[in-house]
Amino acid sequence: MPKPTDTDSQAVQGDIRLDSSVKSNMYYIGGVPVHFPFVPYPSQLGMMNHMIRALTKAQNTMIESPTGSGKSLALLCATLAWRQSFVVRQRKMQENVRQIISRFCMHNTMLLRSKYGTNGTTGDADPAKKPDTMETDPSEKPDKSSNNYSLVTLQAHAQALQSETVEFILETSKKQTLVGLSKDDMATLGEYKAAGKSATQRPRIFFGTRTHKQVAQLVNELRTKTPYRLRTAVLGSRAQTCTHPKAKRSESVDDACRQLRDDNNCGGYTGFRRVLGSKKLAEGGALEIWDLEDIVSVARPLVACPYYASRELAATAKLVFCPYNYILDPAVRNAAGIELEGNIVILDEAHNIENAARDAGSFEVSDLQLASLAHECSGMFDHGILREEHLVLQSLADTLTAWLQRDGAAFEYCDYETQTSVWPKPNCSVDMLLTDLALTPDYISQVKSAQAKIEDYIASLRTQGNEHSPVDPELMPRDKHVSAGALRVVEGLLRVLKHVMHGSKFVTDFRIAVVRHPNPELRTSKKRKRQSAFDAKPAFINTLSFWTMNPGVVFSEIAEQTRSIVLTSGTLSPLDSYGSELQVDFASTLEANHVIAPSRFCALAVECGPSGVRLEAKYRTSDQLEFQDDVGEAIYAIAARSPDGMLVFMPSYALLNKLIARWEATGRLAEIRSHKTVFVEPQGGTKDQFDKLLLSYRNHLSQRGQLGAVMFGVFRGKVSEGIDFSDHFCRTVVNIGIPFPAFKDVKVMLKREYNNKHTMLLNGSRWYDIQAFRAVNQALGRCLRHKDDWGAIIMLEARFVQNANIARLSKWVRGHMRVFGRFNDAKQYLDAFYDERISEDAKDMPQVLDAEENVTIVLDE
């Protein structure tokens, strides 16, 4: 381990400050001084070293580190330490280059005049302006008597055009010896030239994660545990930051905000810059590192808008936190003003990044949305507002709506409720389809031009007010322009049409689909009876979909701009699909060990149940009653011995509901209830409903006199991702089956077919398998959340006794997996593990009260 050095003894350089009130030690890792709040775990040292090396080499990397290993803290400290060191090296190099240029100017006057003398100045730099790399006299004027610049001004030119001067010196040195410059000087200039933009650009850091809750956790880690202090910002939505009472009560905060802003009825928007002058947010202020709640608290008494203030602050922040869709989605990224050129992107919780990137590159619009767009454009036309432009957009919307709703459409994919038709077809290419819809390149250009003029008009309304509107105020409609939602439809269509047009490099990466499904508002007979002739709703919704099969459509663009991309998660495994799927070269990967001692967890794979039935939860076997009963007996036996909380994951809601119903009928569920209160994750439902269920589960386990609780959920469900079940909230995770994606799902079939046709990608079957095992690994990470935690992981699935499938699990699990052919043997080993851990906990555990009657809790769907 690197030897720690006391923080206070180190001189602070660069543009990041160190807060001496936050205790930390300094460790030299990869040649960089890293300030860390405590003695790092070996896995943290490995992560920081790996991270620093990747950033130094401007490489992309992947880091898998189990939850509870201090991953976020290690990444933050390593990244900020590297940036600090990088800026120091930059400044030293720039100072060396300034001195070399000064010596060149002093000893090579004739060459200097030939470059920047009479009529010889190049570039746009004004020698009277002081660049950030030098100091010069702004009053210096050209020497008119000689019609030449004075020597001081020529030197100013040379320093102001530093890159150009370096290039000139290097090229000249190939032809003649330069007086006053050594070989070391020339080597320094060569290094400066090779560095390119990175020689002067201060890289910014964009740290994206899955949810705003995780963003808040990152901000808290940085603020309370590290000594690093720098200008930070957090990007969030209007719904999270808006303080205007009318907008907050609206169905759409975004639309209400824009309407209030356009009507000049939002004092917060007009005064949002008052937040920028807050001393709390300034360097050294109490909220120098802030979260969304902090900026709302600062903005509210100032009657200022925290949403627009946060975006303004993000424009100059050195470190920006945001949900990672702000980085992945091109439309959101542009709207947020995120510039990635030469900067660093860290994506935490990146196990779903492939799917997220595909979603960001895709676009869907329903016939109802298109009809709304046409209606709004028609209203603008009737009021004489940019009639030609709105007519173009209305024509586009009407054309697509009529095509979606046409009679006699053929659908090649049909299930119980949904019908889907996909292009290209054997007899109809995408080009033919676009031609039939008159979506020619010339027409798309007209749409793009119309959109730009309409956006310029809206911008003029916002900046100039109604008195400067090109329309008579008495004729101005209540809505003075089309809605933001309407413009988003046009923007989304233009974005994907650009990719599917002939000649695009991504034209083969998209599938165009029409999806027809029943109107969800008409699902109940009561709603149908309440309809009148005036508010009749369509029986079906038709959706035009542009699905990208290639996440690299959006991700490769990000990789081309950034200095480094870092993907990290507790469950990235299997790792071998990210590079090919995202079309990014990941030069290195790291799979870190868990910080928990091996004696504090056990991982078991069981082939056969208590009655000897092979536990293989496949489609054909899951309907067999003997399989259902043996799984139920195994769950009961584990629940009877597992203390506190227990999670059970299954591949689908169909299997979950089937097993619960069977166990209810046989009385097995009642036996499980005698040891655990039963909670069942509902399919669908609102976030509030799930939060209520989760709170009930936690509250029950917090009453330590209870015998415990078991939560039944599904892989990829709410329970299996992003929730912390530390300590007594989860002592056991049981996995049943392998959650392969729905085999007959249209998108899954198209993706498998696409991969099979592209040899640079993993074949369709391999891609399909990886999706399943990545979901398994994510579920395994729900327990064992810190180094003092403990728990058991049990795979009630025969396929996990095979080495090939064990190898697809995360490193911290696969190295400790024990395989058992019979459940009773596994149960004996598990009982011994529980006994040992419970006996250690009993020393500090308070007296246990009698358990109350247990019940089954499940929210209505």
Side-chain angles (χ1 to χ4, degrees), residues 588-605:
S588 60
T589 61
L590 174 68
E591 294 180 87
N593 293 315
H594 213 305
V595 297
I596 294 177
S599 62
R600 299 189 68 82
F601 75 94
C602 71
L604 315 176

Side-chain angles (χ1 to χ4, degrees), residues 354 358 549 577 580-581 740-743 747-772 808:
E354 293 174 17
R358 274 202 306 275
M549 302 291 102
S577 73
S580 61
E581 285 291 317
F740 292 102
F743 191 80
K747 287 186 180 181
V748 172
M749 289 191 290
L750 292 174
K751 175 61 177 170
R752 294 185 68 175
E753 177 187 276
Y754 172 86
N755 276 40
N756 284 333
K757 290 181 179 179
H758 291 75
T759 57
M760 296 297 292
L761 302 175
L762 297 176
N763 66 52
S765 296
R766 179 67 177 136
W767 171 85
Y768 184 73
D769 290 347
I770 283 175
Q771 308 311 304
R808 296 174 178 178

Side-chain angles (χ1 to χ4, degrees), residues 625-823:
L625 297 183
E626 56 267 29
F627 168 82
Q628 297 175 12
D629 291 343
D630 227 22
V631 171
E633 186 175 349
I635 294 295
Y636 165 71
I638 296 170
R641 290 290 286 118
S642 172
D644 304 318
M646 173 174 161
L647 303 177
V648 180
F649 294 108
M650 303 186 192
S652 67
Y653 286 104
L655 180 59
L656 172 60
N657 295 333
K658 186 185 302 180
L659 292 180
I660 292 292
R662 172 64 179 174
W663 299 341
E664 187 79 65
T666 61
R668 181 64 72 186
L669 194 62
E671 294 178 345
I672 295 174
R673 285 194 203 107
S674 67
H675 296 281
K676 305 283 187 191
T677 297
V678 176
F679 295 79
V680 181
E681 177 184 359
Q683 184 173 5
T686 65
K687 180 179 182 298
D688 288 342
Q689 286 178 311
F690 177 74
D691 289 345
K692 179 181 177 182
L693 176 71
L694 187 61
L695 181 62
S696 297
Y697 175 86
R698 291 187 183 280
N699 286 343
H700 179 83
L701 289 169
S702 295
Q703 303 173 28
R704 300 305 297 274
Q706 304 289 349
L707 289 180
V710 57
M711 174 83 79
F712 289 95
V714 299
F715 296 103
R716 302 187 187 89
K718 294 184 179 68
V719 176
S720 69
E721 295 210 19
I723 298 178
D724 185 348
F725 291 98
S726 60
D727 300 317
H728 62 281
F729 292 118
C730 180
R731 293 300 187 195
T732 305
V733 173
V734 179
N735 288 341
I736 298 171
I738 301 177
F740 292 102
F743 191 80
K744 293 186 177 181
D745 181 271
V746 175
K747 287 186 180 181
V748 172
M749 289 191 290
L750 292 174
K751 175 61 177 170
R752 294 185 68 175
E753 177 187 276
Y754 172 86
N755 276 40
N756 284 333
K757 290 181 179 179
H758 291 75
T759 57
M760 296 297 292
L761 302 175
L762 297 176
N763 66 52
S765 296
R766 179 67 177 136
W767 171 85
Y768 184 73
D769 290 347
I770 283 175
Q771 308 311 304
F773 286 94
R774 202 165 280 158
V776 170
N777 286 324
Q778 185 63 15
L780 296 182
R782 293 315 91 209
C783 69
L784 304 175
R785 309 293 288 189
H786 57 86
K787 73 178 183 67
D788 295 321
D789 208 350
W790 66 268
I793 294 170
I794 305 164
M795 318 296 280
L796 294 182
E797 170 56 57
R799 285 169 286 182
F800 277 108
V801 304
Q802 301 170 12
N803 290 333
N805 289 331
I806 294 175
R808 296 174 178 178
L809 299 177
S810 293
K811 178 182 177 181
W812 66 273
V813 177
R814 64 176 180 258
H816 301 278
M817 182 66 70
R818 291 177 176 269
V819 174
F820 293 89
R822 299 185 305 174
F823 177 81

Side-chain angles (χ1 to χ4, degrees), residues 179-191:
V179 180
L181 300 187
S182 66
K183 290 183 179 180
D184 288 343
D185 290 338
M186 302 309 298
T188 298
L189 295 183
E191 182 182 350

